[in-house]
Amino acid sequence: RKEVEQDPGPFNVPEGATVAFNCTYSNSASQSFFWYRQDCRKEPKLLMSVYSSGNEDGRFTAQLNRASQYISLLIRDSKLSDSATYLCVVCDNNDMRFGAGTRLTVKP
Amino acid sequence: SQTIHQWPATLVQPVGSPLSLECTVEGTSNPNLYWYRQAAGRGLQLLFYSVGIGQISSEVPQNLSASRPQDRQFILSSKKLLLSDSGFYLCAWSVGLPAEQYFGPGTRLTVT
């Protein structure tokens, strides 16, 4: 089993749609969780941290389920500019593990 | 504010040639530094990380090496490149453990 697993997609959605990504992790001792966004041929950029209580940043909502060992990212009212690959990241001290990413394409 | 630089942006090297990629961070002291490789269409693979000058931890055995000669400088090297070394090399920094990491713009390496 991979340490961090994501559905690779691609997810093709129309503008304005709501889309959700899930990510599962194997290390129950993981302490910190993040979502990154990576545009084609660019470096990953931090999108948001994921807190135990769940957190929201504008159209983006991240949730953590420690019991089931998964995190999720919900994007509401998708924009064309949301098209990118979304990376799930799980961290334990200095051990940061990246998922392979989920590709999202938002179409007009 | 903190910034991270990597160079060169792109590099084409023949098999068997040496490699030196440099990464520098500005605006922070004693950062944790990381080297990742991302092969085409694949996830990030952690190659090396460093918590201080001269302290290097290797995640995977390979023909690459890393050095940290100064607090905010991280260098990735190879004596002889292989075709399989092609990829997108990313340097990242963080402060504290565990903490989010911030990436440099990357170096796209093609070994021919």
Side-chain angles (χ1 to χ4, degrees), chain B residues 16-19 63-65 77-81:
Chain B
S17 63
L19 173 74
N63 68 319
L64 300 171
S65 62
S77 304
S78 174
K79 292 182 179 178
K80 288 186 178 182
L81 284 169

Side-chain angles (χ1 to χ4, degrees), chain A residues 25 64-70:
Chain A
Y25 60 95
L64 166 65
N65 185 318
R66 285 190 183 272
S68 300
Q69 294 182 208
Y70 78 84

Side-chain angles (χ1 to χ4, degrees), chain B residues 11-29:
Chain B
L11 192 59
V12 180
Q13 292 283 97
V15 168
S17 63
L19 173 74
S20 181
L21 302 180
E22 190 163 343
C23 169
T24 58
V25 180
E26 297 176 357
T28 186
S29 295

Side-chain angles (χ1 to χ4, degrees), chain A residues 42-94:
Chain A
K42 297 289 188 180
E43 74 274 22
K45 293 186 177 178
L46 180 66
L47 180 64
M48 59 197 302
S49 302
V50 186
Y51 303 123
S52 296
S53 55
N55 49 300
E56 188 174 307
D57 183 2
R59 298 181 293 107
F60 298 84
T61 300
Q63 292 194 315
L64 166 65
N65 185 318
R66 285 190 183 272
S68 300
Q69 294 182 208
Y70 78 84
I71 66 174
S72 64
L73 178 68
L74 182 77
I75 306 175
R76 291 182 298 277
D77 189 22
S78 300
K79 311 292 184 189
L80 295 176
S81 58
D82 293 333
S83 297
T85 296
Y86 291 83
L87 307 176
C88 165
V89 183
V90 175
C91 189
D92 173 22
N93 288 329
N94 210 22

Side-chain angles (χ1 to χ4, degrees), chain B residues 10 18 20 28 34 36-37 41 44 50 54-55 60 63 66 74 79-81 85 87 91 96 102 106 112:
Chain B
T10 60
S20 181
T28 186
Y34 309 84
Y36 289 89
R37 177 170 61 204
L44 274 73
S50 171
Q55 301 178 60
V60 292
N63 68 319
F74 206 21
K79 292 182 179 178
K80 288 186 178 182
L81 284 169
D85 291 325
C91 180
Y102 299 93
T112 60

